[in-house]
Amino acid sequence: MSVRIDLTDKKEEIRRLCQLGSNCREERGFSATHLAYCYQKTEDNKEAEKYYLLGIQLLEKVNNVGLKEEAYFAIISFYQETEQPKQRRFYENKLVELQKKSI
């Protein structure tokens, strides 16, 4: 049995959060990454990539290593699923560098 979830409302809600102009980069970065996942699940890969990259851009400027790792894992998974090995390897390397710094 397959369950179809309508993500339209969820995407609109998260898009509004991203555009609020919040000063909290962690919140905006996490919201952008979550929105990217919603787009990925609705097979809108162009929008998914756009928001994954926005999320990473925002989260690279914060001190929360866990959120950065989560964003990198998400985009790595996205590039794996969409068969883009060069981009996947780029973010795998960024993840390794981040983890080296946090040791």
Side-chain angles (χ1 to χ4, degrees), residues 36-95:
Y37 179 79
C38 291
Y39 276 117
Q40 182 180 353
K41 291 304 166 193
T42 58
E43 299 180 3
D44 188 346
N45 290 334
K46 184 176 181 175
E47 285 297 301
E49 183 175 32
K50 171 183 162 182
Y51 282 99
Y52 276 127
L53 293 172
L54 174 62
I56 286 181
Q57 178 185 6
L58 291 165
L59 292 172
E60 283 181 335
K61 298 174 185 175
V62 302
N63 293 325
N64 188 327
V65 174
L67 280 179
K68 289 180 193 180
E69 286 177 337
E70 193 172 322
Y72 286 139
F73 282 127
I75 200 166
I76 289 166
S77 176
F78 170 76
Y79 285 135
Q80 175 71 35
E81 187 176 305
T82 58
E83 299 177 355
Q84 298 181 62
K86 286 183 182 180
Q87 291 88 340
R88 187 195 77 229
R89 276 192 302 278
F90 176 78
Y91 286 101
E92 287 172 338
N93 290 335
K94 288 186 79 89
L95 177 62

Side-chain angles (χ1 to χ4, degrees), residues 1-18:
M1 182 169 150
S2 176
V3 177
R4 177 143 166 73
I5 299 171
D6 183 12
L7 296 173
T8 305
D9 292 335
K10 189 76 162 169
K11 288 190 290 191
E12 286 304 315
E13 177 185 345
I14 296 170
R15 187 179 297 117
R16 279 193 302 275
L17 281 173
C18 287

Side-chain angles (χ1 to χ4, degrees), residues 17-18 21-33 55 58:
L17 281 173
C18 287
S22 169
N23 289 331
C24 182
R25 284 191 180 119
E26 288 181 358
E27 183 179 315
R28 288 176 36 220
F30 180 76
S31 295
T33 302
L58 291 165

